[in-house]
Structure formats: structure tokens, C-alpha cells
Amino acid sequence: MYRSNTCGALRASHIGSEVVLSGWVHKLRDKGFVVWVDLRDRYGITQLVFDEDRTPKELLEQARELGRETVIQVKGEVIERASKNPNIPTGEIEVLVKELTILNKSLLPPFTIEDETDGGEDIRMKYRYLDIRRNPVKNKLIFRHKVSMEVRKYLSEQGFIDVETPYLIKSTPEGARDFLVPSRMNEGQFYALPQSPQTFKQLLMVGGLDKYFQIVKCFRDEDLRADRQPEFTQIDCEMAFVEQEDILNTFEGLTKHLLKEIKGVEIDEFPRMTFDDAMRLYGNDKPDIRFGMRFGELNAVAQHKDFNVFNSAELVVGIAVPGAAEYTRKEIDALIDWVKRPQVGAKGMVYVKCNEDGSYKSSVDKFYDQDDLAQWADVTGAKPGDLICVLSGNTNETRAQLSALRMELAERLGLRKPDEFAPLWVVDFPLLELDEETGTYHAMHHPFTSPKPGQLQLLDTNPGAVKANAYDLVLNGNEIGGGSIRIHDKQVQATMFKHLGFTPEEAKAQFGFLMDAFQYGAPPHGGIAFGLDRLVAILGGQETIRDFIAFPKNNSGRDVMIDAPAKIDEEQLKELHLKLNM
Ligand code: ASP
């Protein structure tokens, strides 16, 4: 028996009992006549004591030599501590050691195994197994486990069944690049790793399994923007005989369950907003609604004077920043520089200080009088003490810029509170998105998403105006889930492929299996997928997903611990019928 108790278990009630503990040497304090060792495992820390009066000499000497992270087993008696430590659950006791076995020695770890470590990101990733011994990482993995167990429990209780789908498949169209796997047995042919199980879950619906879920890895070979992983986990779901409303209700239920069980937060009903409103009011299809600062469009009240910057703009739009009228000239200049950074890309910013006495002071006082500015305040909802920030230009760009400013200011003002949860359904997404560069349309969600009823004809005349039965679940400014009601009619699917620029031959080659299946009684169906990594991070009150993943990749898609990706040898290349051309 390696242990009778864990290192987090012993309390005052155990005093007098004989115990066996195993774990890692966390810390050692040698006072000469007495040696204390903090013994650590996943469950906590227990203090071991060796002293001159009660411990045989050799044992005391042996204890003195213990290096950090050595794995040991001890047998001893639980005794009351002379000076108690109220900060840890085992702080009332210590174990007077009678036997010590070294189970394995350890090299000196390259960083300290402490909550606040001296190790930088790179070194911690290289020795991730040591990093996982640290509470902040360990606790996040345990937290993730809790979330995924609650997901399984909830969905299973709702009648969903967990079905595995294959990883070695053929391209799926989530709009990213595929990771490819050469086939040894099929010369010159490749599998693609799934960007999601999209087509398979639809085929499960054709197969009659009307409620499916899977916690599943997805693979997308994208340039890694901040905090993305090339392989990530989805809670993937699909249901048959459902309308959009059924899906929203079911997964609102799941999200409520998680918020309640994991965070103790109860939310009555999730608000809904159309995509168009989200763009108009927040400049963004995943608005953080934990705070206000809604956009006020100012064209009507700002385009009647000689200020050409505004007159020539497609959109003039502002936000009222609470309490920021007192910003100094320097602070405002810094804000202007911030929006002019290439990452944001605004040409400049107009501001209005709404003074406490009801007067206004703006950077464009030359063009606008107090009555004009009062109207701006009205439109943006600014109160005395607020600062109105106004951007102008092309609609899409200006919205994106003001949205970035809104988020930045909210961050600075402490309005993005990690323990406040504001879910939101964004609905009525456009079906298609115009690629400004090529002038062609592609599916905003994916090609299997159905248009709103009665809008199919519009595809020929005004494709950009067609709305989809597609929805996203947004939590605190992050898209945590997205899905759609699917097309289940072969003809409609063929029309859709045509509009996306597929020839009938291409459509058949790539998705013939799905269109064939639709001919055998495909039920109406729809679904959603949640990004589990992000969901867990947000529930955990964190902005980054990396520590919620046991073995994440770095920004270049590398696993620096196992050193992957890596070269393969000639023999393997030959077997796969591949030649490198670099
Ligand atoms: N497969 C979709 C995605 O990965 C989700 C869905 O439509 O259910 O975004």
C-alpha cells in the first residue's frame, strides 16, 4: 500500500492515528535539531516532521538530504502541530515520521513548483508535466473536467447520445485549411482531419439518432491568431425534428445548467439580438453586454455643418464613456494614438467632454455649437461626466474600430468583470458573406446552413441580403457556440453549392455522400457546437485558453515538449510515396 491517505486529507480528528503518505518533496526547512518537509500531492500539502528527540539519527540525516521533487513514501503518526497554519486545510496537524522510503529521485526542476513560479512560459511549456504539478495549472485541468462532466450529465439526461465520429476523413467545409494525413495503403491519397464532425452528425440524423453529442477534437490549419489552438475541443451537438427555437431552448438549458452548477449563477432567460442590431449597436457580432457604451449613430446630427471629415463619411458613430470627461489632454491624446495604431486603424478620433455643469467641450467646437453637441449626447446616451468618443469612415471598418475602442475602455475601466456572466443569443446571421478581395460569396457559417424560409429566391437577386437560420451563443464578448438549422433537401443543397461557386461535379465529388443521403428520407435537423476550451476559460474567469489544455501548442503550432511537428525519415517518406520539395 503506497498511501492510507492523501496529502490533503489529514485533520485534527486524525491525531493519534498511524498513516502512510506518498508524494513529492515540496519544501524542506532544516533547523538543525528539527527538519520539516512539506509533502505534496494533487490533493494538498502535509507537513512531515523529523526531530532529534523522537526521530532515529539516521532517519533525520536521511530527511536532511531530501531534494526538491523527490518522490517519497512515509509512515508515521499524526500529531498536533505546535504552531498551526490556518492557511491550509491540513494546518492543524503534522506527521511524525517513523519510516521513510525514497521512491524516486528528481533532478532539480528548471523552475520552482510554486503557485507563483520563476519559470517563463517557454520553459514551463517544455516541462509541462512539471507545470501541471503547480496549483494554477492543475486546478484549471480539474475545473475543465468538472465542466465536461456536467455537459455529459446534462445532455445525457436530455436523451442525447454520445457517438464517436472518425478522425481520418475527407475535407469538411468550416472555412479553414485542412490538416492532411497521407495514406500508406492508398498511394498518393490523403485523409483530412475533421475541422468539425459536421457532415457526420448530419448523417447520424439521417441514421435516425435524433439527439447526438460528442466532446470531440477538431483540427484547423489556420494562422494562429492570439489564443487559438490548431487542435481544439468542441461540444458538438445535433438534433432532428427541430426548429431554431428548439435548439436555442435546449442549449440555453445546457448553458444555464453549467452556470448554475459551476458558478452558482442563475440566469432567467438569455436575451436575443439580431446580427444586424449587434453590428449597429456594438460594431461586433459577439458583443459583450456586461456593460453599456452602446453605439450611437450620429450621421443625422453631425452631417449638417462644414466638418468635411464627417460629411464625407459613410458612418459617424460614437460611444459615451462613463466618467471619462475628466481625462486630461494627455490621456485623450493617448486614446487617439491608441485608435490610430495599425491594429485598430482609425484615422483619428473626435471627442466631446460632457461637463458636470451641463456644458460641452469638444475637439470640433469650431464646427458644432452646444445644441449640436447636446444632440450627440442624447444619441449616445451620454450623461454629465462622460466622454463621447466619435469615429467616422466606411461603415464596416468604423464599426470594428469603435468596437475595439469600446472593449479597450471597458477593460481599462474595469467593466469586464470575470465573475459577471452575460450570455446573449445572436440570431439571423446573413447566409453569405462577400469576400471583398475576390468579389465572391462564401457561406458565413457553412454550406449546410439553411436560408430563412421563403428567402431562397433572393439568392438569385440579392444574395448578400439572404438571412440564415443560424445563431451564435455569446458569453461576455466571446462566441462560445454557433450552429444552424441545416438544409435537408438535396435540391436546396445543390442550389446552395451552386451559389457558393461549386460546379455540380465539384459538389458531387466533395459532398456527394451527403446529398445522396438526403435522398433517403433525411429528417429536418439542426445543431450547434460549443468551443469547450473557451467556454471553460470564461467560466474559470480567465481570458486565455492555454492553461485549460493539458498539452497546448505554442503560437507557431509547435508542441515544444515533444518537439512536434518533426521531420520523418526517408524510409517513412518512401512508404507513404512522398517526396519533399522544399
Ligand atoms: N460545425 C459547426 C462549427 O464547427 C457547428 C455547427 O454548425 O453545428 O462551427
Side-chain angles (χ1 to χ4, degrees):
M1 180 182 67
Y2 279 108
R3 53 186 175 183
S4 59
N5 300 81
T6 70
C7 296
L10 300 174
R11 302 285 183 273
S13 60
H14 294 91
I15 289 170
S17 45
E18 295 288 327
V19 294
V20 186
L21 301 181
S22 290
W24 287 265
V25 172
H26 184 68
K27 231 187 246 163
L28 187 136
R29 270 161 303 143
D30 187 349
K31 291 268 180 225
F33 59 97
V34 51
V35 172
W36 284 287
V37 171
D38 280 353
L39 188 67
R40 188 197 67 236
D41 67 8
R42 172 186 147 189
Y43 307 90
I45 285 182
T46 297
Q47 178 166 296
L48 311 178
V49 61
F50 306 77
D51 72 29
E52 269 176 358
D53 299 340
R54 295 173 289 181
T55 311
K57 197 161 178 341
E58 302 91 87
L59 188 52
L60 186 65
E61 286 314 313
Q62 209 190 349
R64 195 162 271 146
E65 296 304 311
L66 287 172
R68 275 188 174 226
E69 301 307 308
T70 304
V71 187
I72 60 171
Q73 181 195 45
V74 292
K75 293 188 184 152
E77 185 192 339
V78 182
I79 60 173
E80 188 178 358
R81 271 208 216 185
S83 74
K84 306 203 170 29
N85 178 357
N87 299 321
I88 59 170
T90 60
E92 287 189 290
I93 56 93
E94 57 191 358
V95 172
L96 178 65
V97 176
K98 296 179 178 163
E99 264 179 59
L100 165 68
T101 311
I102 293 184
L103 298 175
N104 211 342
K105 289 205 161 141
S106 171
L107 294 176
L108 188 69
F111 51 87
T112 53
I113 312 294
E114 301 280 357
D115 293 5
E116 298 290 335
T117 178
D118 56 355
E121 175 90 3
D122 290 350
I123 195 89
R124 288 193 291 112
M125 285 301 152
K126 182 155 190 260
Y127 297 91
R128 184 63 163 175
Y129 45 88
L130 295 179
D131 207 19
I132 293 172
R133 288 186 193 164
R134 297 172 51 241
N135 285 322
V137 182
K138 175 194 76 186
N139 289 340
K140 288 187 181 105
L141 295 179
I142 295 172
F143 183 76
R144 181 186 179 114
H145 160 78
K146 263 197 211 147
V147 176
S148 52
M149 286 307 285
E150 286 302 332
V151 169
R152 289 181 194 284
K153 203 164 92 190
Y154 184 85
L155 290 176
S156 181
E157 273 165 14
Q158 299 287 319
F160 284 79
I161 59 163
D162 179 355
V163 184
E164 289 173 66
T165 52
Y167 281 159
L168 295 175
I169 65 165
K170 164 162 143 170
S171 185
T172 49
E174 305 289 351
R177 208 174 278 125
D178 291 320
F179 278 103
L180 298 171
V181 181
S183 163
R184 179 181 56 81
M185 289 190 286
N186 302 273
E187 192 172 332
Q189 297 190 354
F190 293 79
Y191 300 100
L193 299 180
Q195 292 183 32
S196 84
Q198 185 60 37
T199 48
F200 287 96
K201 63 176 174 175
Q202 293 192 239
L203 291 170
L204 288 172
M205 296 305 109
V206 182
L209 296 179
D210 62 3
K211 286 176 167 185
Y212 143 91
F213 88 102
Q214 183 183 189
I215 294 185
V216 63
K217 275 286 173 79
C218 300
F219 307 86
R220 297 184 191 176
D221 188 4
E222 290 176 294
D223 292 337
L224 296 178
R225 280 181 273 146
D227 208 31
R228 288 261 188 135
Q229 290 282 314
E231 54 176 313
F232 59 96
T233 307
Q234 282 189 346
I235 309 165
D236 192 45
C237 310
E238 196 77 2
M239 302 170 82
F241 304 113
V242 285
E243 292 168 335
Q244 174 165 314
E245 199 56 34
D246 302 307
I247 303 261
L248 299 193
N249 287 334
T250 303
F251 294 97
E252 184 163 320
L254 169 65
T255 313
K256 277 184 192 166
H257 175 80
L258 294 178
L259 284 168
K260 180 152 173 266
E261 294 303 317
I262 306 283
K263 304 303 296 185
V265 171
E266 295 202 44
I267 296 179
D268 247 4
E269 200 176 318
F270 294 4
R272 295 182 188 183
M273 189 180 291
T274 64
F275 170 85
D276 288 346
D277 281 347
M279 296 308 287
R280 188 170 54 79
L281 295 170
Y282 298 94
N284 199 307
D285 63 1
K286 44 180 181 1
D288 190 338
I289 57 165
R290 279 174 297 181
F291 54 94
M293 286 200 261
R294 283 183 171 211
F295 288 17
E297 297 192 350
L298 297 166
N299 293 44
V301 294
Q303 289 186 321
H304 62 296
K305 291 285 168 72
D306 291 337
F307 189 48
N308 279 332
V309 176
F310 281 2
N311 291 344
S312 61
E314 193 182 356
L315 179 69
V316 182
V317 60
I319 50 172
V321 187
E326 31 176 75
Y327 278 14
T328 60
R329 185 63 225 233
K330 208 165 141 209
E331 284 173 306
I332 293 181
D333 282 345
L335 217 50
I336 296 176
D337 286 342
W338 192 89
V339 295
K340 283 162 98 177
R341 296 158 59 212
Q343 299 92 313
V344 182
K347 295 220 174 58
M349 185 185 94
V350 164
Y351 67 87
V352 185
K353 286 183 167 188
C354 307
N355 298 322
E356 294 291 354
D357 66 3
S359 67
Y360 301 96
K361 173 86 195 86
S362 83
S363 56
V364 285
D365 280 348
K366 214 158 70 182
F367 301 101
Y368 299 96
D369 59 27
Q370 293 286 306
D371 286 343
D372 291 325
L373 300 177
Q375 285 189 307
W376 296 18
D378 191 41
V379 174
T380 56
K383 294 185 198 52
D386 292 356
L387 177 77
I388 308 175
C389 297
V390 184
L391 300 183
S392 64
N394 155 304
T395 299
N396 291 344
E397 286 170 10
T398 308
R399 281 178 172 169
Q401 292 157 1
L402 192 62
S403 168
L405 178 64
R406 176 178 177 271
M407 292 301 265
E408 171 69 17
L409 285 166
E411 193 70 57
R412 293 190 196 178
L413 293 168
L415 301 174
R416 304 195 66 199
K417 301 200 183 84
D419 35 339
E420 202 175 302
F421 292 92
L424 170 76
W425 286 108
V426 177
V427 297
D428 298 353
F429 274 81
L431 183 69
L432 304 172
E433 197 173 27
L434 185 65
D435 183 331
E436 310 251 339
E437 264 169 42
T438 61
T440 55
Y441 282 97
H442 56 84
M444 190 144 183
H445 188 49
H446 51 55
F448 313 116
T449 297
S450 65
K452 288 263 173 213
Q455 297 211 342
L456 201 57
Q457 285 69 25
L458 208 58
L459 270 178
D460 290 317
T461 50
N462 189 0
V466 179
K467 293 283 192 260
N469 275 321
Y471 32 80
D472 276 355
L473 183 57
V474 175
L475 185 57
N476 296 358
N478 295 277
E479 180 204 324
I480 56 158
S484 60
I485 297 297
R486 327 298 183 188
I487 297 166
H488 65 278
D489 176 277
K490 178 177 178 178
Q491 227 38 60
V492 177
Q493 189 64 69
T495 309
M496 190 64 197
F497 282 134
K498 189 184 85 191
H499 283 281
L500 293 171
F502 287 81
T503 64
E505 294 72 35
E506 286 167 342
K508 188 164 177 9
Q510 223 183 324
F511 301 114
F513 63 95
L514 187 68
M515 309 237 271
D516 287 347
F518 284 174
Q519 294 174 292
Y520 291 95
H525 61 285
I528 191 168
F530 289 79
L532 180 67
D533 310 286
R534 174 82 44 210
L535 175 62
V536 170
I538 297 172
L539 291 174
Q542 305 281 320
E543 290 280 319
T544 57
I545 62 175
R546 200 174 279 180
D547 274 352
F548 292 91
I549 299 170
F551 300 107
K553 308 258 186 298
N554 74 8
N555 285 341
S556 335
R558 292 201 75 79
D559 182 323
V560 293
M561 181 183 67
I562 60 171
D563 198 18
K567 297 215 167 86
I568 56 173
D569 61 36
E570 270 312 311
E571 206 43 44
Q572 280 175 302
L573 281 171
K574 218 152 94 205
E575 249 176 14
L576 296 168
H577 322 283
L578 292 179
K579 227 190 226 127
L580 296 182
N581 178 15
M582 294 185 301

